[in-house]
Structures are given as structure tokens and as C-alpha cells.
Amino acid sequence: MSSVAVLTQESFIEHRSGLLPEQSGGPSAGEDEEELPTYKDAFPPLPEKAATPEGTQETANAWTSKIRPLKSSIITQVFHVPLEERKYKDINQFGEGEQAKVCVDIMHKTGAHLELSLAKDQGLSIMVSGKLDAVMKARKEIVSRLQTQASATVAIPKEHHRFVIGKNGEKLQELELKTATKIQIPRPDDPSNQIKISGTKEGLEKAKHEILLISAEQDKRAVERVNIDKVYHPFITGAYNKIVGEMMQETGARINVPPPSVNKNEIVITGEKEQVALAVTLIKKIHEEKKKSTTTIAVEVKKSQHKYVVGPKGNTLQEILDRTGVSVEIPPSDNSSETVILRGEPDRLGQALTEVYAKANSYTVSSVSAPSWLHRFIIGKKGQNLAKITQQMPKVHIEFTEGEDKITLEGPTKDVQMVQSQIQAIVTDLVSRMDYAEITVDPKFHRHLIGKGGVNINRIKELHKVTVRIPPDNEKSNLIRIEGDPQGVQEAKKELLELASRMENERTKDLIIEHRLHRAIIGQKGEKIKEVRDKFPEVIINFPDPAQKSDIVQLRGPRNEVEKCSKFMQKMVAEMVENSQTLSVPIFKQFHRNIIGKGGANIKKIREETNTKIDLPAENSNSEMIVITGKKANCEAARNRILAIQKELANITEMDVSIPSKLHNLLIGSKGRLVRSIMEECGGVHIHFPTEGSGIDKVTIRGPVEEVEKAKQQLLALAEEKHPSTTKPLTLYEYHKFLIGKGGGNIRKVRDSTGARIIFPTSEDKDQELITVVGTEEAVRTAQKELEELIKSLDNIVEDTMNVDPKHHRYFVARRGQVLRDLADEYGGVMVSFPRTASQSDKVTLKGAKECVEAAKKRMQEIVEDLEAQVTIECVISQKFHRSIMGPKGSRIQQITRDHNVQIKFPEREDPQAAVQENGEANGEVKEPVDPNAPKKCDVILISGRKERCEAAVEALKVLVPVTIEVEVPFELHRYIIGQKGSGIRKMMDEFEVNIQVPPPDQQSDKIAITGLASHLDRAKEGLFERVKELQAEQADRALKSFKLTITVDPKYHPKIIGRKGAIITNIRTEHDVNIQFPEKNDENQDQITITGYEQNAIAAREAIQAIVDELEEMISENITLDSRVHARIIGARGKGIRKIMDEFKVSFRRAEMFSCPEHAPRNSPKTSLMSFKCLCKCTNF
């Protein structure tokens, strides 16, 4: 069961007519404004248990007077939005556009379900289903977003505003809910008394009425309520409210007559007592007169004609009342009654009746028979055809109903007749020249008929001038409809059926190709897969969605073509797999730059000659692995060449050691810890074990000769132990550095005395407190004992003190205690506490393991001694070099600070704007004369530390001062050295770590300035000279390659020399490495072909072209007569048929459209009569 509420213009009229019967349970006339019908009265909610007794009774009465109680929690309500109040009125976009988006948004927000339909009067009917709360929210959204919002203001005394708001705003909220409007009341500090109301027109009237009633209640002036039957209200207000306006002007009282939409009899009059009394007298007088003098007459008028009697916004009813003084009462739109009641004086009822019938019959409804499939052609693209008619006859409403073979017209009789004749003419014309056909095709073939990007179906549409509707996948329909020219429809139908038939005979094959290779097969921007599709045009290749990570690639097409394509792609995949082998080569980091070479020359050469991809780790990476990708043999060749470069650069050797494969895992250790410790101890040698399970005993060691021998001895020693014992003592991570000792001294003593190998965890290990000891059982036991003694001594926490002069305290605690943190990290987490600054104490406390405290104390004494012996010296370097000396982000100066253990302070930059007077006076102060030989403050760098260290730091700083040299390079080569957008010169500057300054072109100077460290200048100069030699060699090569010659060829042979898609000429260009230029269209010498390149290559290319010309001159040209109707069949789909004939008989056809007679197509063929005869027979048999 559902509840239906209709909000239409007719409901507005029905209230005005006063024909609605009063409900027996309704409020009495003597009650206050709460008796006004509210939103809840019009749409009563379901009764709730928590409701008050009064509220429950009202709700129950409201529901029981209409329908039986609902059992379902889902309700349905229908809302009507009249045409004039619709926010979106575009008929052509019904069901789409902004209106549809708004409806979808409302459904998402409220959870209610909306269904829209368009009434004959273009009003919008909206059916809302859902739970009560959801429906109410949806109704509010519909009113605010789909109906046009009007606004109005009502003025009441400022002191009455609080009564409109009510306690905690409850009254205002209730009023907004009743009227479905938004009411804005000015703030208390705003002197305005205007209340703004926004919403629908009907809601505005209700809200305005309610506010005025509230104000009247609170007004201390007289208030009088007169109960007048609703049917007499039109006589009191008069047409267009003239009578009530005159009464208010005459009496000075305010008369509030309920609007037609409010079914209430009470009229409220406010004002001075005399004014109110006079107004009441006048109203009652009119009421009594009309009650006595008026009579009624009931007439039958068709329900469909009622709206013409009402008129837009009820204007026709007002017009009849104004002319005749007769009130016309129309039954509600939801009432099936066709009876219209006229109320007025007897002598005027006749005139009013005449006008009612005139208005009712002024409009007519007619229809035009038209097949439903023609409707969209009648409407035209974007409604263009229909717009032409409606612009001429705007009062005529044209309605197309989907699925019905008719068009409904509604409007003035004459206009309807004219529109009917126009549409009938359009229908007759369309029926005579258009047809349709329907074919049945399995839905699984639909997307193949459409083609990628709609290419197939668009071609059929354009070729046959038809429209084809293929149902979407969600319809699951197999019916395809074709509409258009009768002949085009039949041809399109035939072609679609042929395509469908061919697809039914096609084969689908799934290829299993690893998902990681899909992108490589497709290629950049789909270039590679496009080549495959061009090679097999009849095969459709479908790759899975990347998100699915599926390995299945689907092929579909003719059986033979699918098999060929499958073999081709499998071969392609095999090559890719073969070419994607990877090999990692460990190369010492310091040799990576040499392997790259100047400008990447070495690595580029290796890549090109071995046809491999070589990736080097980033400069800031700790990795030494160079990764080679390609065919296995090529990767091996590239690896050998890279290793050869390393061997040449350093004393690097490679040694093979035979160790039984069963011991390999023991030597490698858990997660490679044991072999990694050997490599680190032996100067970073590389130890390579064979693949597990291969059974190979050979272990390869590569590195410096001495370190390789050392690693070999350690591996053999461990291998001789057969089954080395392993133990894993635990200790705090903070103690590890102390256990290792400075430079590894502590742990080396343990290793030398016990012969065991001790492995500490790396930063990558999860357990940072686990130390691994490997060796013979006795060695491991001894080493463990010594380690435990060391750890035990570290666990013995002691506290000690030392004296440090307070002037040195700042050094230790500066930079957030960085020095103290370094001490804690280095000496087992020892804690150092300095006294407060105000105490002036020199006592410093150290707390931690005894050994750690002693070591930290010793180190702190060394630091204090350095501070006592600290001096500050000056280093004078021009300020313009300071930025270069600092290096990027101060990296160079930080390195010097660390290397020499000094502090370096750069001066503030000189302010060029500082004005200093020549007489030595500045800012009113007299200064001493400045020594011209004294260095500027901005050039003096201060260095603090031990004297010998400061002096060494000064020398290091001076080495960093950049030097500039000039190199002569021919001016004409400058632009090549700079490169495109400066890429060439930037590359050289990055490689040699210098700045290269090329003079501007207008100077035409041969000198190029190089600025940088003295150690880098020689390399940069040499690199620049090498680049000049390369450019000069390229210039010489370009001169040789610019040899030109021409060949004279008849223009008619040019297309044959070029070949299909330029295949022949491209082959000649590639084979002989030349550039071949054909004449432009406007060139005088149309028979001249220009060849540019090396002299011998140009001559060879000329001979190749001449050979083609000689062959073409031996051919003949004939015209064959063919019926133009079979041309398309001979050509075939995408020219496949004509190419097959051309390939089979070694002939070529030129397009018939190029000749005056389309049935005579010239044909070129060799002078072989039998071949020509066969070709002719083949064509004429079509």
C-alpha cells in the first residue's frame, strides 16, 4: 500500500474553488493559527509510539480518513512540478543532462528511489519511494533543486520577530516544514523589519499568510475573525484582489483572506477597532448580498479541458470573474468528476457559461500517424526539425510517446491543424524515401561488428548512408536495427550478415604469455602491436586489463590467420625471453667512471657491439653491481669486456678455488654473513659461489692480488674444518663498537688469539644484538669466553668524574650535544653530564661500563688538550671564490673540517650598497685611514684548531681556489660544442667538474674559457680537444656525404619507384645510405630525381632506380571494360581482392575514377599475353 500526494497547478485551483469537502475531524473555526493545514496535515506521517496523545489522535484521524493503516515501512509519494515552475525545461534532454544528475544525486543523498515522467502539459511527475524519512528528505531536495525558487518579503513589526522564531527556533522550523520554504529573519541588531521568504509560489503564499497571522496575534490592535464560506471568498477578494484592496484602503484595516491553496474559511481583520468593525461590516454585507442574490449552475466539461478553463496560474478564472462577476469552481485534478459549477447572479450566468465553453473549446487535441522508428528523424538532430515548427506555433504542444505509432498535438485549433499538416508532410516524405530492417546476431559478436573505436560500424554507416543500432551489453538483446535509404539498408544488412557469418566460422585461441612481457609486446604507444596487427589484419588481438595481471592473450579471426599469428607471437615472445637474460657483475666502485668513459663512450660502445642493456648503480649508492640484460651469450661477452677494463686499471686478479659443493652453504653462512665478513676483511674482494644444486666445486675470487690470496687461505682454512662450530652470544647493540675497537683492534686480537671468526650484525639484520662466532669447536669456545668477559666488564656500570675548564664546556654541548652523542655512540653508550652554566663548576660526570668510561675519559682529555692548544689563523681568499670553495651544500668545506679536525668560519658577504665617504668619515664617525695593502674583511676566512692542522687546512682551501685557462677552438665549432639547448656543454661540465664559458656569437672569438680546480683543468682541456677532433671528423664526413647527382625519370614512373607506402624508395635509401628527393608539384623539372650521399653510394642508388625504370618501360598498359557495379567486389574489403589479383598476375591497376569513363580502367602488365589474358578473365568473371 502506498501514499500518493499530488502537487500540481490544479491543486492550487481546487483550493481556490472551495469545492473540497471539510473533514469531519478537522479543526473548528474558533481555534488559533495552529489549525491551519500544515505539511503534516497534507502528508500525515505514520503514527509513532512516542507521540503525544493529541498528536497520535490527529495522525490517526488523518490517515484513517483517507486509507487504511500502512503495514509496510516503504511509502510512495508523487510530486508534480508544473511547466512554468520547472528549473530544467529542455524537452530534448529529458532523462539526461543536469536534471538527471540532480535526481541521481538526490537518490544518493537520501536513499529514496526516484522515477520521472513527463505529463502532456510538460509538467514533471516525480514518484518517490522509500522510507518515510528518506521520502521527506527527497521531497525537500526536489522542491529546492528541481523547482524554480521565487522570493518575497513580508514586513511585520520588529518586536513580533521573536514570536515567529519561537522558543529555540522551534516555531520557525515548524513554519518552514509546513510551507516547504526558507525563511530568513533579520538579526536583532539589524533595524530592518523585512522577513525574506524563498521557495515555490504556493509555499510563499502559505508562509506569508502564517507570518501575518502570527504578527496579528501579537499586535495589540483589534483582531477580528470572520467565518465566511470558502466559496464566497472570490466575491470578497474580487477579481485580481480589487475589492479587498479597496476595502483595506477605505477602512485602513488589514484584511487577510486565506489564499486558494489554504482550505480555511476564516478571514482575519486587524487594525483600529473602528476600522476593524467597518471592515467586518463590509465583508458581511458582501457575503449576505451574494448569499441572497447568487445562484449556481452545474455544467459538464471534459476533464482534459479543465486546464484551459483555469488558464495559466488561474488567470482565466480571474478574467471571467472580472468580466461577469461569476465565480467558476473546478473539481480537483485527482477527482474524476467533469462537473464545473458557476456561482453568480442569474442574469450573468449565461455570459459566464459562454466564456467557459469558449475557453474549453479554444484548444483541441489531435494526432498524426507515424511509425515510432521515424520519430527521431521527425524530431531531427538536437530537435532542429521540431524547433522550426514550434517556433512558428509556440502554443502547440507536440508529444512523442515511445513505442506508439502516433504523434499527439495539443493547442489552439487553427494552430494544431497547421502543425498537423506540416508533420504529416514530413512523415509522408520520410516513409517514401526511408526503410528499416532488423537482423538477429548473437550478442557475443556485437563488439566485433562495432570494431575497435567503432571503426567497422562507422565505415558501414558512412558507406551505405544508414544508421545502425546495436543494443548495449546490458540489454542482452540479439536484435540489430538498420534504418535509412532502402537500398542502403539492404546493402548494410547484407554486409552485417556476412560479417556475422564470417565471425561464426572464426576461431578463438588463447595464448599464455607472461604478464610482465605484455607491455614490451605492445611497445611504446602501441607501435609494436600495431605492426603485428598490420601483418595479420583479420586477426583481433585482445590483451587483458593490466589490473587483472592475467597471462592470457586472446586471438580471434579466420582459423589459418589465427594459427599464423599465434606462431609469430610465440616466436616474438621466445626472442624477448632470450633477450631478457640478466647478469650481475661486481665491479669496484672507483672503476665505474672508467667503465662509463668520457661522455659515456666506453659503455655506449659495449652496449652497441654486444647488443645488451647495461645499468650501473647510482653514484650515491653503495652497490657495486653492474646489471647486464640481453641474450645469454651477449651478456657473457659484455661481462668479459667490463672485467677486462677493471683488470687493466688495477692490480686485479681472478682465482678459482676448488671447495666441495657440499660445504658451500656452510661457508656462505646464514643470510651470507660468513662470506660477507671474509669479503669485508679482505679489502672488499668478490667471492662467487656456483648456483646451489649445480654440483660444481669451483669458487671464484676476484680482487687485488694480496687480498685474493688472503681470502683464499681463509676459505680453505674454514673448508678444512669440515664442520665448523657456530655459537651466537647476545649483547647490547651499543657495546658492539667498543667490542670491535678503534680500527677493529679489539676484535682482531680475539681472532688472532683464538682463530675463530666473529661476525657482527649489519644494519639489514633484524636481530641487532646477535654476534655470530664461527670456527673449530675449541676456537669458538675460547672466543666466546673472551667475548663474554669483555661483555661482563661492559655490564659493570661505574661512575667517574674529571675536571674540564668551564670555558670548554660550550664545545661539548654545542649543536644540541653532537660531540656528546658521538662519544656515546663510540664508547658503548657512556653518559656524560656537565654542570649547569650558572654554577661555574669544572666537574664533569661520566657513567657507564668501566672500560667505556675509561676510554671516553681519555678521549675527552685529548679533546680538551686540542682546545687548549687551539689557535686561530687567517686565510685570505677573494670572496668571489668562496662559493666555489664551499661546494654544493657546503660539501667540500665539511670534508676539510672532518679531515683536519678544525673549525672554519667564512666572513659575511660585503654589502656593495654600503656608502663610505672618501674622507674616511662614515655615519658621522672619523675612522683611521685604511692600509691599502691590508686584506678586506670579506676575504678573510678564520680557521681554528691545532696549529699544524690549521696550516694543513689552509693548504687544502687554497687547492680549492678555481683557476681559469683559455683554450683555442675554431669559432664555427662552438655551436656544436654547446649542443642542442646547451646539452653538450652541460655534459662536459658535469663530467670534468669545471665551468666552460663560450664567448657570445657576435664576438666571433676562438677562445673558450675553462674555470675549475687545477687538478680538473688538464682533464677538461684534453676532453675539449677530443671533442673538437670528433667534430672536425664529422665535418669531413658530412662533406663527403653531400655529393649530389640527378637522374631523369618520366613522372609517370615515380609512384612505382616510391612503392606502396614508400616501401621501395625506403629500401633503396636504407640499403645505399643516401637521401633521395623527388620533385615538388610546382617544380619546373618534374622528371629530375636528386640523390645525395657518398659518391659511390649515390651512383649505386642511381643504378638501382634505373633498373626499376628499365623494368617499367618493358610493361604495357591496357584498358579493360568492367561493369561499375562489380568494382567494389573486385576491390574487396580494404583492397584485399584487388591486391590478390595484382600479386598473382604481377600486374597493377590504377583507379578508374581518374579517367573519363569509369568502366574503362587502365591496367599495366608485362608483355606476356598469356598472363594478361588470365588476368582479364579473372576480372570479367566477377
Side-chain angles (χ1 to χ4, degrees):
M1 184 68 72
S2 63
S3 171
V4 180
V6 181
L7 304 177
T8 66
Q9 186 65 28
E10 285 77 13
S11 64
F12 178 90
I13 303 303
E14 81 182 14
H15 288 297
R16 165 163 286 188
S17 67
L19 288 180
L20 288 178
E22 295 182 2
Q23 294 184 11
S24 59
S28 65
E31 293 178 358
D32 59 10
E33 65 271 16
E34 292 298 325
E35 299 164 7
L36 288 172
T38 65
Y39 182 87
K40 291 182 179 179
D41 294 331
F43 308 102
L46 293 172
E48 298 177 359
K49 290 182 181 180
T52 61
E54 296 81 359
T56 306
Q57 186 62 38
E58 288 177 7
T59 304
N61 290 343
W63 276 100
T64 53
S65 64
K66 295 181 181 179
I67 57 173
R68 62 186 176 85
L70 297 178
K71 295 181 180 178
S72 173
S73 62
I74 303 299
I75 67 165
T76 301
Q77 293 190 359
V78 178
F79 304 109
H80 292 282
V81 181
L83 175 62
E84 57 271 18
E85 294 184 13
R86 282 179 56 192
K87 187 175 286 188
Y88 306 99
K89 298 182 182 179
D90 191 350
I91 302 172
N92 300 319
Q93 288 194 350
F94 181 73
E96 56 188 31
E98 288 298 320
Q99 180 172 276
K101 291 179 183 176
V102 169
C103 291
V104 171
D105 188 44
I106 291 172
M107 286 194 285
H108 284 318
K109 280 186 178 179
T110 64
H113 178 70
L114 272 63
E115 291 185 13
L116 277 70
S117 61
L118 205 61
K120 289 184 179 181
D121 61 354
Q122 295 304 301
L124 194 64
S125 294
I126 306 168
M127 185 169 72
V128 187
S129 303
K131 292 189 177 180
L132 182 62
D133 291 344
V135 171
M136 292 299 103
K137 290 178 184 177
R139 189 250 183 187
K140 185 178 178 183
E141 291 285 334
I142 289 167
V143 168
S144 63
R145 299 177 66 179
L146 293 181
Q147 277 188 269
T148 55
Q149 299 293 297
S151 63
T153 57
V154 58
I156 63 172
K158 186 75 176 176
E159 58 271 17
H160 295 174
H161 287 192
R162 62 192 183 93
F163 299 104
V164 177
I165 297 170
K167 189 178 180 180
N168 297 326
E170 292 176 358
K171 186 70 177 177
L172 182 62
Q173 291 175 8
E174 182 184 354
L175 192 57
E176 288 181 338
L177 183 63
K178 282 182 184 179
T179 60
T181 58
K182 177 67 176 175
I183 302 172
Q184 296 177 351
I185 297 176
R187 296 176 62 84
D189 55 353
D190 189 346
S192 173
N193 63 352
Q194 299 284 337
I195 296 176
K196 187 177 179 181
I197 312 166
S198 57
T200 61
K201 293 178 182 178
E202 183 182 350
L204 291 178
E205 291 178 353
K206 291 181 181 179
K208 193 172 181 180
H209 177 70
E210 292 287 341
I211 291 170
L212 290 173
L213 284 180
I214 292 171
S215 178
E217 286 292 323
Q218 301 303 325
D219 200 331
K220 293 180 180 180
R221 295 178 296 174
V223 178
E224 186 74 30
R225 289 181 173 81
V226 181
N227 204 16
I228 303 293
D229 289 339
K230 186 74 176 177
V231 294
Y232 294 105
H233 285 193
F235 300 109
I236 293 169
T237 58
Y240 306 111
N241 290 324
K242 288 180 183 177
I243 296 174
V244 75
E246 291 171 359
M247 280 193 290
M248 285 194 292
Q249 189 173 3
E250 180 183 345
T251 62
R254 183 188 299 171
I255 303 171
N256 194 336
V257 180
S261 57
V262 178
N263 187 22
K264 195 171 184 180
N265 295 334
E266 188 178 73
I267 298 174
V268 180
I269 305 104
T270 59
E272 298 296 333
K273 291 184 179 180
E274 296 79 6
Q275 296 173 345
V276 171
L278 180 57
V280 170
T281 303
L282 292 174
I283 290 170
K284 288 184 176 180
K285 181 180 177 184
I286 294 171
H287 178 228
E288 293 300 327
E289 286 178 0
K290 293 299 179 183
K291 201 170 183 182
K292 292 176 182 178
S293 63
T294 60
T295 184
T296 59
I297 183 172
V299 295
E300 297 295 321
V301 178
K302 290 182 180 179
K303 190 71 177 177
S304 60
Q305 295 178 327
H306 285 191
K307 58 185 175 182
Y308 307 133
V309 177
V310 175
K313 300 180 182 179
N315 283 338
T316 304
L317 294 178
Q318 294 291 325
E319 185 182 333
I320 295 172
L321 180 61
D322 187 32
R323 288 182 184 174
T324 65
V326 175
S327 170
V328 182
E329 300 165 10
I330 306 293
S333 58
D334 58 353
N335 191 332
S336 59
S337 173
E338 295 185 344
T339 303
V340 175
I341 298 174
L342 283 70
R343 188 182 303 275
E345 296 178 7
D347 57 339
R348 295 194 174 186
L349 287 176
Q351 182 185 351
L353 182 59
T354 303
E355 291 202 18
V356 167
Y357 277 128
K359 294 295 183 183
N361 296 322
S362 61
Y363 281 71
T364 186
V365 177
S366 183
S367 63
V368 179
S369 296
S372 59
W373 65 275
L374 283 179
H375 286 186
R376 61 192 186 87
F377 297 104
I378 296 169
I379 295 168
K381 191 175 183 181
K382 295 183 179 179
Q384 289 176 353
N385 297 346
L386 206 59
K388 293 176 183 177
I389 299 173
T390 54
Q391 285 171 5
Q392 296 173 0
M393 306 292 176
K395 294 184 179 180
V396 178
H397 169 59
I398 306 172
E399 182 179 351
F400 294 84
T401 306
E402 187 177 355
E404 291 187 9
D405 294 336
K406 69 174 183 177
I407 303 168
T408 305
L409 310 176
E410 185 177 346
T413 306
K414 289 184 180 180
D415 291 356
V416 166
Q417 290 174 355
M418 291 181 68
V419 172
Q420 185 175 7
S421 62
Q422 291 180 26
I423 293 179
Q424 188 62 59
I426 295 172
V427 171
T428 304
D429 176 59
L430 289 173
V431 168
S432 65
R433 60 183 179 84
M434 295 193 73
D435 194 5
Y436 76 94
E438 293 179 341
I439 59 174
T440 302
V441 177
D442 194 320
K444 68 182 179 181
F445 298 132
H446 287 183
R447 63 191 182 95
H448 303 295
L449 289 178
I450 294 169
K452 189 174 182 180
V455 63
N456 293 345
I457 202 67
N458 288 337
R459 181 186 61 79
I460 293 172
K461 288 178 180 179
E462 291 172 9
L463 180 63
H464 303 295
K465 309 298 181 189
V466 296
T467 59
V468 182
R469 185 190 180 278
I470 298 177
D473 294 340
N474 57 4
E475 286 188 15
K476 296 182 180 179
S477 172
N478 59 0
L479 201 64
I480 296 176
R481 187 182 180 92
I482 311 163
E483 299 170 354
D485 179 72
Q487 184 178 351
V489 167
Q490 294 305 317
E491 290 175 355
K493 176 182 177 181
K494 183 179 178 182
E495 186 169 348
L496 284 170
L497 288 173
E498 286 178 357
L499 283 172
S501 176
R502 194 185 309 162
M503 286 172 190
E504 288 176 354
N505 297 324
E506 286 179 346
R507 183 192 172 189
T508 299
K509 184 173 183 179
D510 291 340
L511 287 182
I512 306 299
I513 299 174
E514 286 184 63
H515 184 266
R516 64 184 179 88
L517 298 175
H518 290 186
R519 181 175 291 182
I521 295 170
I522 294 169
Q524 190 174 11
K525 295 182 180 179
E527 291 175 357
K528 289 188 178 179
I529 198 63
K530 186 176 182 297
E531 293 175 6
V532 178
R533 285 176 172 144
D534 290 343
K535 189 176 183 69
F536 303 98
E538 295 184 21
V539 179
I540 298 170
I541 305 171
N542 289 325
F543 284 86
D545 190 315
Q548 295 178 355
K549 295 186 178 180
S550 171
D551 295 338
I552 298 174
V553 177
Q554 190 181 75
L555 308 181
R556 183 182 180 81
R559 185 180 297 274
N560 294 336
E561 292 296 310
V562 167
E563 289 299 327
K564 290 179 184 177
C565 183
S566 173
K567 289 178 181 177
F568 180 82
M569 290 189 70
Q570 286 172 346
K571 184 180 178 182
M572 181 192 295
V573 170
E575 290 176 357
M576 283 184 178
V577 171
E578 186 181 358
N579 291 333
S580 61
Q581 298 289 328
T582 58
L583 189 64
S584 297
V585 186
I587 298 294
F588 292 100
K589 192 79 175 178
Q590 62 266 33
F591 300 132
H592 284 197
R593 177 174 290 187
N594 304 93
I595 288 167
I596 295 170
K598 291 178 182 177
N602 291 351
I603 199 72
K604 184 178 179 183
K605 188 176 181 182
I606 295 172
R607 285 170 177 160
E608 290 175 353
E609 293 182 1
T610 61
N611 193 25
T612 56
K613 179 185 176 185
I614 303 174
D615 295 319
L616 286 89
E619 288 186 9
N620 55 359
S621 169
N622 294 326
S623 173
E624 295 184 340
M625 288 294 179
I626 295 177
V627 181
I628 308 170
T629 307
K631 291 184 178 179
K632 190 174 182 180
N634 295 346
C635 291
E636 294 286 349
R639 182 183 67 175
N640 294 337
R641 292 187 60 168
I642 291 171
L643 290 174
I645 293 173
Q646 179 181 247
K647 196 170 183 180
E648 289 175 7
L649 294 169
N651 184 21
I652 302 297
T653 186
E654 187 173 297
M655 184 182 292
D656 294 334
V657 182
S658 181
I659 297 175
S661 58
K662 64 183 180 180
L663 298 177
H664 288 183
N665 284 341
L666 291 172
L667 294 177
I668 293 170
S670 175
K671 297 182 180 179
R673 284 199 184 98
L674 182 55
V675 74
R676 193 163 58 242
S677 69
I678 296 172
M679 288 193 290
E680 289 173 359
E681 186 179 339
C682 300
V685 297
H686 297 293
I687 302 175
H688 177 68
F689 284 85
T691 307
E692 187 178 0
S694 63
I696 300 173
D697 296 339
K698 185 175 74 172
V699 178
T700 304
I701 310 171
R702 185 168 62 253
V705 177
E706 300 82 4
E707 302 299 336
V708 167
E709 186 61 35
K710 185 178 177 183
K712 175 185 174 183
Q713 296 302 326
Q714 292 197 22
L715 281 173
L716 292 174
L718 286 169
E720 285 174 3
E721 294 173 7
K722 302 291 183 181
H723 298 288
S725 178
T726 303
T727 185
K728 297 180 179 180
L730 289 170
T731 183
L732 292 174
Y733 175 72
E734 290 81 5
Y735 294 166
H736 288 187
K737 287 186 179 180
F738 187 79
L739 290 174
I740 295 169
K742 193 169 185 179
N746 292 349
I747 208 67
R748 195 179 296 114
K749 289 179 185 177
V750 178
R751 284 176 180 169
D752 294 343
S753 63
T754 63
R757 177 164 299 280
I758 302 168
I759 304 168
F760 286 86
T762 64
S763 57
E764 297 175 357
D765 292 330
K766 291 182 179 179
D767 194 343
Q768 293 290 306
E769 298 183 352
L770 192 69
I771 302 173
T772 305
V773 184
V774 182
T776 61
E777 188 174 349
E778 183 181 353
V780 167
R781 192 163 48 246
T782 307
Q784 184 177 5
K785 186 176 179 182
E786 290 190 19
L787 283 173
E788 286 173 348
E789 288 176 0
L790 282 172
I791 294 168
K792 189 175 180 181
S793 67
L794 292 174
D795 287 337
N796 184 18
I797 303 299
V798 297
E799 187 174 311
D800 198 359
T801 60
M802 64 180 293
N803 296 326
V804 177
D805 195 320
K807 68 181 180 182
H808 300 314
H809 289 189
R810 183 177 179 80
Y811 174 81
F812 288 96
V813 299
R815 293 177 296 161
R816 298 183 180 179
Q818 182 62 45
V819 176
L820 297 180
R821 285 201 299 273
D822 293 342
L823 286 170
D825 290 343
E826 189 173 354
Y827 298 105
V830 66
M831 294 174 60
V832 183
S833 301
F834 279 81
R836 293 182 179 276
T837 308
S839 67
Q840 294 297 316
S841 171
D842 62 351
K843 185 178 178 182
V844 178
T845 304
L846 295 87
K847 186 176 181 180
K850 185 177 180 181
E851 298 293 337
C852 295
V853 168
E854 290 297 329
K857 187 175 179 181
K858 184 179 179 182
R859 175 61 185 144
M860 288 182 68
Q861 287 170 345
E862 291 175 359
I863 293 172
V864 170
E865 288 175 6
D866 286 347
L867 293 172
E868 292 288 351
Q870 182 171 290
V871 297
T872 300
I873 64 174
E874 295 180 350
C875 176
V876 180
I877 297 175
S878 179
Q879 189 184 48
K880 65 181 180 181
F881 299 128
H882 287 187
R883 187 184 294 273
S884 175
I885 292 170
M886 289 181 186
K889 298 182 180 180
S891 58
R892 290 176 180 171
I893 211 68
Q894 289 170 10
Q895 187 63 42
I896 293 174
T897 303
R898 286 194 296 270
D899 293 346
H900 301 285
N901 193 21
V902 294
Q903 293 180 339
I904 302 173
K905 183 179 180 182
F906 281 81
E908 297 291 333
R909 294 185 65 83
E910 184 180 23
D911 185 3
Q913 303 297 328
V916 180
Q917 300 178 6
E918 292 182 2
N919 60 3
E921 294 182 6
N923 300 326
E925 298 180 3
V926 179
K927 294 189 176 180
E928 296 294 329
V930 179
D931 184 359
N933 297 323
K936 295 181 181 179
K937 283 187 177 181
C938 61
D939 296 338
V940 178
I941 302 171
L942 299 178
I943 306 170
S944 301
R946 284 183 176 270
K947 186 176 181 181
E948 62 276 11
R949 292 175 182 170
C950 291
E951 290 172 351
V954 169
E955 295 301 320
L957 285 173
K958 289 182 178 179
V959 169
L960 294 177
V961 176
V963 182
T964 302
I965 62 171
E966 290 186 344
V967 180
E968 287 198 6
V969 175
F971 172 73
E972 62 271 12
L973 297 180
H974 286 191
R975 63 192 183 96
Y976 300 110
I977 289 171
I978 294 171
Q980 189 175 13
K981 296 183 179 179
S983 59
I985 202 164
R986 277 200 305 273
K987 186 177 178 183
M988 293 180 70
M989 289 193 292
D990 293 341
E991 182 179 354
F992 301 116
E993 298 180 14
V994 295
N995 181 44
I996 301 175
Q997 187 69 36
V998 179
D1002 55 354
Q1003 293 183 9
Q1004 296 194 352
S1005 172
D1006 292 340
K1007 295 187 181 297
I1008 292 179
I1010 306 175
T1011 304
L1013 302 182
S1015 58
H1016 296 167
L1017 290 178
D1018 291 338
R1019 288 177 51 243
K1021 185 177 178 180
E1022 183 183 347
L1024 188 60
F1025 281 145
E1026 286 185 8
R1027 179 60 181 152
V1028 170
K1029 287 179 184 178
E1030 289 176 6
L1031 292 172
Q1032 288 173 341
E1034 288 176 6
Q1035 275 187 332
D1037 185 64
R1038 278 197 297 273
L1040 292 173
K1041 207 171 181 179
S1042 61
F1043 176 78
K1044 280 188 181 181
L1045 59 82
T1046 58
I1047 180 173
T1048 304
V1049 178
D1050 193 325
K1052 69 180 181 181
Y1053 296 137
H1054 288 188
K1056 294 294 181 183
I1057 295 170
I1058 294 170
R1060 181 176 174 79
K1061 295 184 180 179
I1064 296 173
I1065 200 67
T1066 302
N1067 188 35
I1068 295 173
R1069 285 171 176 154
T1070 306
E1071 184 178 348
H1072 300 288
D1073 189 23
V1074 294
N1075 180 33
I1076 302 172
Q1077 191 68 35
F1078 284 83
E1080 300 289 339
K1081 288 184 179 179
N1082 301 326
D1083 201 336
E1084 293 181 0
N1085 301 320
Q1086 287 293 309
D1087 58 351
Q1088 298 291 324
I1089 298 176
T1090 306
I1091 306 172
T1092 308
Y1094 295 116
E1095 183 176 358
Q1096 63 272 23
N1097 293 0
I1099 294 170
R1102 181 180 63 183
E1103 291 173 356
I1105 292 173
Q1106 189 60 51
I1108 294 171
V1109 172
D1110 293 341
E1111 184 180 347
L1112 291 171
E1113 286 179 344
E1114 293 179 359
M1115 301 180 76
I1116 62 171
S1117 179
E1118 295 181 16
N1119 289 342
I1120 60 174
T1121 302
L1122 297 174
D1123 192 327
S1124 60
R1125 292 175 294 179
V1126 300
H1127 285 189
R1129 190 174 175 191
I1130 293 173
I1131 294 170
R1134 297 183 182 177
K1136 187 187 290 186
I1138 198 71
R1139 282 200 302 273
K1140 185 176 180 182
I1141 296 173
M1142 290 162 66
D1143 294 342
E1144 184 179 349
F1145 298 104
K1146 303 296 186 289
V1147 297
S1148 66
F1149 287 84
R1150 296 179 65 187
R1151 294 177 59 188
E1153 289 82 352
M1154 297 173 63
F1155 296 87
S1156 57
C1157 180
E1159 295 186 354
H1160 294 278
R1163 174 177 51 81
N1164 295 325
S1165 63
K1167 295 177 180 178
T1168 307
S1169 58
L1170 180 59
M1171 188 172 291
S1172 300
F1173 178 73
K1174 287 181 178 179
C1175 177
L1176 183 61
C1177 292
K1178 179 83 173 180
C1179 291
T1180 52
N1181 284 336
F1182 269 95

